[in-house]
Amino acid sequence: MGIKLSDKKKIGLVLSGGGIKAAAFHIGVCLALKEKGFRFYGGSKNLIRAEHPGSQTHKPMTIQLYVGSSAGSFVSTILAAGYPVESLITAFQIGLGVSPEYSNSNYRLLKPLTYGRLFNMNKKGLMSILPTSWLQKSLVSGGFESLIKNGFKLNGLFSTAGVENYLRKYVLIENDFSSLASELYIVSTQLNNSRKAIFGNFKENLKTPSTKYINYATISEAVACSTALPPIFSPYNLPNQDGQERYFYDGEIRETLSAHIAADMGCDLVISSFSMQPYHYTPEIGSLHNYGIPVILNQALYQVLEQKTHKHIEWQNTLKHIYKTIDGYFKQNQLPEEHREKILDIYKTRFKFNPNVEYINITPRPQNYEMFMVDHFSLNPKILERIVKIGFKSAINTLRKYSV
């Protein structure tokens, strides 16, 4: 494709939602990126200055910016906080172990994730009858998805307070966006408005008709907002600076795969990992009409999300094609240089287009039907290990098109 990855100055990683299996897919993608020579820059700004005076952000193929929605916000936060990819494997108890470079160090390993740590009961819900001991187990036959298929009329079965508590208590040394050495942006959606919410280290609390930029949330609160996927999780209440109630939920509701955020923040290479691949017929599974309403609805949702993602990718490709056509026409016909530059500047401003930004989009292959069929919220290590491998292979297949 003519793109040399090591020439890129600022690299952003964008991770989508899709439940725990999306997080596992992202882990596989990150392992592939590491295999290809990418570095994940993160940690506390103050600690890095004290322990490593020479910043590593100038080194080639260093990911300096993270954007996460829903499950992707959780993984992005771990990486931005400076943890190695292997620590995520340990946290999800996938069983692949920690790489030798960290095994003998004093690096903090993450606490194992259990249903009890991630799924806090919504106290107003009817699900409080489940015994607490059941939630402490990592393996639950059937998974949580089976619990929501009976149609409870609640604002959510669980609360993402457990996610917030896990990050604040076990992960983040400093729970503030400004304390991070890397850039982190968490995407959510306002419940009682039509705006997308972007949490980050913004100088001001700004808003437009379509987007609200929020600077008053802690990192763990932002992730709790982004991971509140209805109807499993109730919307998360994050009062504004005046103390007024503001509810937020899943970051993928309004806009899928917010790759534009990385580009808007100056990245010239944006790597996106998107795990939601609709089912494509295979003899092993057969037709989805045999699997009932929940599976058919899941397919419909995936098809909608895939279409939204593909439209974004097609739009970026169209903008690039038009830009190159205009540029080529002026050069081929030896038209005045000042007019070429003026028209191209108008085009870039009008469509917010940066010709220097390259996008790499990593998704499962249609043949990876397991990405569709398995439970979104299973913590079964064997299942997650298979999903990690799918993410790894998907990324390797995509990255081999590019030169280092």
Side-chain angles (χ1 to χ4, degrees), residues 100-112:
E101 62 188 289
Y102 298 105
S103 60
N104 296 320
S105 70
N106 58 1
Y107 205 95
R108 292 198 312 156
L109 296 178
L110 293 174
K111 290 276 188 182

Side-chain angles (χ1 to χ4, degrees), residues 233-253:
F233 294 103
S234 61
Y236 191 85
N237 181 25
L238 180 64
N240 65 11
Q241 292 165 308
D242 297 326
Q244 298 173 322
E245 287 189 343
R246 291 290 185 273
Y247 287 91
F248 298 88
Y249 62 160
D250 189 85
E252 303 266 280
I253 295 294

